[in-house]
Amino acid sequence: MAVMTHAEALVEAIRECMDEDPNVALVWGSLMGVGGNNEHVEHIKEDFADRIFHPPISEAAIAAIATGAAMDGVRTIFPMGTASFMFRAWDQIIHEAGEAHYMSNGAVSVPAVFHVVHGLRGGGSVQHSQSPQSMLWNAPGIEIAMPSCPADAKGLMRTAIKSNNPTVFIDYQKLNKRSGEVPDGTYDIPFGVADIKRQGADITIVAASLQVVHSLEAAEVLSGEGIEAEIVDLRSLVPLDEEAILSSVGKTGRLVVVDEAPPRCSVASEVIATVAEKGMDLLKVPPVRVNRLPVHVPANVALEDFIGPNTDRIVEAAKQLCS
Amino acid sequence: MDKLRLLDIFRQMMLIRRFEEAVYDFHEQKLFGGHYHLYIGQEATGAAVMASLRSEDRVFSTHRNHGHAIARGVDPKNALAEILNRVDGTNGGRGGTFHLASADAGMPHTSALVGGAVPLAAGAGFAAKLQKSGGIGVSMFGDGCFEEGVVFETLNLALLWKLPVIFVCENNTPGAILKSQGGNNTSNLPEGRVIQIPQALGMECHEVDGGDAVAVDELFADCATRVRATGHPVFIEALTERWPGNYFSFPSMVTGLTQVSMAWDGSAISGEHEDWFKTHGPVLRFARDLIVNGVGTFGDIVGIDVDVTETITSAKEFALSSPLPETDSVYSHLLAGES
Ligand SMILES: Cc1ncc(C[n+]2csc(CCOP(=O)(O)OP(=O)(O)O)c2C)c(N)n1
Ligand SMILES: [Mg+2]
């Protein structure tokens, strides 16, 4: 096992896939906010110069170019930077990339990867802080991955690149510098397999991306108060590992779901609806959503903290359910 | 030549420069978070454009909006308070540096999304036409906006629907370090120039040295008069040399705090950025022209600088003493009709 940052793990996945498959291309803005200071970035730049394309500020067209190329088997990774910018390419991702396979009755597939960094970034203000996961989840035909740690980032990115479906890879700038152990060699992490990041018998906390980190912190606090939380890291929203969620809730009978999108029609809403439909009898108490408050994101960092889901709010919600 | 008008434009430019230096200082002191953009190097364009605008006109700006807001008449104390996200800010503190705007000043909304300001200004032209207000829409935007499709759509519509709009593209690519060489964003066009796009559509187009306050003023004043009269859109490309502090993604005060005396005392100029001080920096350049052309004296220039520096010093104090918004305020103004 090597220890590396989230950013390094992502870049390593891209490098490996570009090595393995000459059909993988990369649109190079500022590679996922990763910066230029690591060996892998330099390696990619040099070794794959003919498969790297520098983007103008043209999210919509590039997303559609990636989509059109994907129909002929070119697997383009398109990092769009801040998730808010992705809205420019909404039509292309949702209509063209997401619908082509269905519309062609299965004849055409779209193996493209759209990478964004979402959420509260510390002063991003209203137009640089979007969390598009639940809006995207409402559009059929798109896979959605949301890693929380370096090992998952690598394995999920490899799967995203190899997948024959369009994948939106929803990342988080605040994760980029976090380090973790990453298995040696190449490995893929299949979509639709949640990971139990912590075992616990008293309450289930379901989360993805940075909210897994917050949930793990919350679990430590809760443990000090005699509550053992089980953390279910979804890792991908599409496909969704319903079984992992239901089996954990079956064990604990209590459910908190954490997500950065505002609560209405959010990831948290969908997970809870799924449990209500398929496992209502497993719940001892009504479940709780911990989301960004249903407001825009103010520029002020203190207010940003106030509206975001955070460790304290997760602890509070969990304690309420266990009281 | 209207001496008072020119000195007033200079005053606005000097005010913008001192304002931006204050913003830089606040950021260095970590008084506000996140990314930000300074208008240094482009003061002549913003100040000269706003000099011809009236209260019924509407200005829409971008991530690089500070200079536009100041020249449009936003009080620097409210603008600085906004950058610190305080309650007395132009947007009540919730917009910050990306979004300085003031409906009272005729600058209703500032989009930080590249290209966002362009159709909004056409919307103001649309409203002015419908309401016969006599106003015009003005879009201040960067050359990078031409990479976004919505800008083409807007130019086309402004012509089809005959909207009274002036599109002011501030092209700050000259002198920039290319992004592929590690610099900040610049526009990417294969061969041609951004101005050829509206030209191809048949729009009236002008090119101007955006670092030359008098040239921008004369051109814009003339265009504004005509757009008010004809209702037809006009495109202006204002070319400015990139301020070296804007080479990379975060601003850096590589040219130091502005010394207006450099305008007449060349002995203070040396080093790596000599060229910027001598020929490009619009504040020094205009100060020099004003003196050479007998519009103002050393005394006028220094007097204006002392004045605006005082304004900015008290604006800083005001901004720093303005409180942060209460946490409960996050719920307010989601929908009109609610508190
Ligand atoms: C839709 C969108 N995509 C990307 C960005 C990130 N971004 C912010 S400023 C900028 C460059 C803008 O260049 P230009 O319009 O020339 O303005 P300048 O900064 O040079 O004044 C980019 C790409 C954004 N804000 N919005
Ligand atoms: Mg530019």
Side-chain angles (χ1 to χ4, degrees):
Chain A
M1 289 263 201
V3 171
M4 62 176 82
T5 64
H6 189 95
E8 284 166 340
L10 270 177
V11 175
E12 189 164 283
I14 292 173
R15 177 179 61 77
E16 287 171 4
C17 290
M18 292 187 87
D19 250 335
E20 288 165 18
D21 182 355
N23 264 311
V24 177
L26 175 64
V27 177
W28 187 293
S30 50
L31 187 57
M32 303 160 202
V34 165
N37 58 348
N38 74 61
E39 58 187 28
H40 299 314
V41 173
E42 288 310 316
H43 182 112
I44 290 178
K45 271 191 194 164
E46 282 162 24
D47 292 3
F48 308 110
D50 57 342
R51 283 191 266 151
I52 293 177
F53 297 86
H54 181 78
I57 319 163
S58 307
E59 294 84 359
I62 297 169
I65 286 171
T67 300
M71 294 175 188
D72 270 322
V74 171
R75 295 164 186 271
T76 305
I77 307 158
F78 176 22
M80 281 182 245
T82 305
S84 305
F85 307 158
M86 160 184 233
F87 288 37
R88 283 284 160 80
W90 209 244
D91 181 43
Q92 287 70 20
I93 293 170
I94 293 184
H95 281 144
E96 318 301 357
E99 293 171 356
H101 187 67
Y102 189 83
M103 278 163 71
S104 66
N105 207 19
V108 162
S109 60
V110 181
V113 182
F114 306 104
H115 178 279
V116 293
V117 287
H118 82 291
L120 306 172
R121 69 178 200 185
S125 194
V126 195
Q127 294 183 334
H128 284 69
S129 308
Q130 283 284 359
S131 288
Q133 52 268 35
S134 50
M135 298 184 208
L136 286 163
W137 202 357
N138 206 245
I142 299 165
E143 291 172 333
I144 305 172
M146 295 184 73
S148 70
C149 64
D152 290 357
K154 179 172 170 184
L156 292 171
M157 179 50 89
R158 285 182 54 91
T159 298
I161 296 169
K162 293 185 189 178
S163 159
N164 284 332
N165 293 304
T167 306
V168 179
F169 202 96
I170 302 184
D171 230 319
Y172 214 115
Q173 188 80 29
K174 287 177 184 169
L175 289 175
N176 265 353
K177 289 205 168 91
R178 291 181 63 88
S179 293
E181 286 193 337
V182 173
D184 296 325
T186 58
Y187 63 93
D188 304 346
I189 295 176
F191 291 164
V193 182
D195 187 37
I196 307 301
K197 286 284 189 292
R198 184 185 192 279
Q199 305 264 354
D202 300 326
I203 185 164
T204 298
I205 303 178
V206 175
S209 188
L210 182 71
Q211 299 314 327
V212 172
V213 175
H214 290 160
S215 299
L216 285 166
E217 286 165 9
E220 288 312 303
V221 178
L222 290 165
S223 180
E225 306 195 17
I227 298 169
E228 294 307 327
E230 180 144 300
I231 311 296
V232 180
D233 179 354
L234 293 175
R235 300 203 291 195
S236 70
L237 303 182
V238 181
L240 178 69
D241 190 348
E242 294 185 355
E243 221 177 278
I245 299 166
L246 290 165
S247 95
S248 179
V249 175
K251 194 164 105 182
T252 65
R254 297 181 179 85
L255 174 63
V256 170
V257 190
V258 194
D259 173 36
E260 240 191 78
R264 298 270 185 228
C265 304
S266 66
V267 170
S269 305
E270 180 56 29
V271 169
I272 287 174
T274 303
V275 173
E277 280 177 357
K278 300 188 178 166
M280 192 68 170
D281 52 332
L282 303 175
L283 290 165
K284 295 179 192 151
V285 287
V288 169
R289 293 178 288 183
V290 177
N291 287 87
R292 184 180 110 198
L293 300 182
V295 299
H296 295 301
V297 180
N300 185 290
V301 179
L303 295 191
E304 190 186 292
D305 285 345
F306 174 71
I307 70 166
N310 54 37
T311 307
D312 290 349
R313 279 178 59 206
I314 300 167
V315 169
E316 200 183 310
K319 276 164 64 175
Q320 223 178 349
L321 291 197
C322 293
S323 66
Chain B
M1 185 172 54
D2 182 344
K3 288 191 179 189
L4 281 181
R5 181 181 175 94
L6 295 185
L7 285 175
D8 206 50
I9 291 174
F10 178 76
R11 177 181 293 271
Q12 292 299 332
M13 289 168 62
M14 198 71 233
L15 185 62
I16 294 169
R17 177 64 62 86
R18 295 298 180 207
F19 181 89
E20 295 295 55
E21 290 173 353
V23 174
Y24 179 82
D25 177 42
F26 278 170
H27 195 265
E28 287 297 283
Q29 292 186 51
K30 299 195 167 43
L31 290 171
F32 69 96
H35 204 217
Y36 72 115
H37 306 268
L38 297 181
Y39 196 61
I40 295 180
Q42 298 171 218
E43 296 93 340
T45 303
V49 163
M50 303 306 157
S52 291
L53 296 186
R54 306 177 183 162
S55 61
E56 61 270 30
D57 300 330
R58 299 287 177 265
V59 175
F60 288 86
S61 178
T62 66
H63 59 285
R64 203 179 293 288
N65 58 62
H66 303 170
H68 304 146
I70 298 299
R72 186 67 176 130
V74 169
D75 193 317
K77 65 185 207 287
N78 304 113
L80 273 182
E82 185 57 41
I83 286 165
L84 296 188
N85 315 138
R86 307 296 173 94
V87 289
D88 295 298
T90 47
N91 312 41
R94 46 174 56 171
T97 166
F98 287 161
H99 300 294
L100 294 190
S102 160
D104 291 341
M107 203 174 156
H109 178 80
T110 296
S111 173
L113 297 162
V114 171
V118 181
L120 292 168
F126 184 81
K129 185 181 168 114
L130 246 78
Q131 297 171 341
K132 301 187 173 40
S133 70
I136 59 175
V138 177
S139 170
M140 306 298 294
F141 61 102
D143 45 299
C145 294
F146 271 100
E147 295 165 4
E148 291 282 9
V150 71
V151 172
F152 172 83
E153 297 171 32
T154 304
L155 296 170
N156 191 40
L157 274 160
L159 284 161
L160 287 173
W161 290 357
K162 296 189 178 54
L163 303 179
V165 197
I166 304 186
F167 299 100
V168 182
C169 176
E170 295 188 73
N171 189 340
N172 59 0
T173 287
I177 296 173
L178 296 182
K179 178 133 186 172
S180 52
Q181 284 158 16
N184 201 5
N185 289 298
T186 53
S187 50
N188 304 265
L189 283 179
E191 290 282 347
R193 301 256 325 271
V194 294
I195 197 169
Q196 292 171 314
I197 296 170
Q199 265 165 356
L201 292 169
M203 192 175 288
E204 176 186 327
C205 290
H206 302 274
E207 186 186 315
V208 68
D209 176 352
D212 181 343
V214 176
V216 176
D217 181 36
E218 282 172 359
L219 173 65
F220 190 86
D222 180 53
C223 290
T225 308
R226 231 154 352 88
V227 171
R228 284 182 212 289
T230 63
H232 289 215
V234 167
F235 176 86
I236 294 173
E237 181 181 10
L239 283 144
T240 50
E241 188 78 11
R242 178 84 53 123
W243 170 51
N246 272 344
Y247 284 163
F248 304 105
S249 56
F250 269 87
S252 166
M253 206 46 80
V254 289
T255 50
L257 295 184
T258 305
Q259 292 172 256
V260 279
S261 60
M262 281 184 179
W264 52 87
D265 176 11
S267 70
I269 299 176
S270 66
E272 196 188 344
H273 303 299
E274 206 176 312
D275 206 34
W276 159 260
F277 295 120
K278 279 194 174 148
T279 41
H280 300 307
V283 168
L284 289 182
R285 185 175 161 187
F286 196 26
R288 228 173 258 131
D289 288 351
L290 290 172
I291 292 166
V292 169
N293 296 324
V295 177
T297 62
F298 303 148
D300 291 335
I301 304 287
V302 172
I304 287 170
D305 187 26
V306 168
D307 263 11
V308 304
T309 302
E310 246 168 49
T311 304
I312 296 298
T313 306
S314 61
K316 283 175 101 169
E317 280 162 20
F318 174 88
L320 285 166
S321 62
S322 174
L324 288 171
E326 298 284 339
T327 46
D328 272 356
S329 73
V330 298
Y331 297 103
S332 68
H333 303 302
L334 264 177
L335 292 170
E338 296 175 353
S339 59

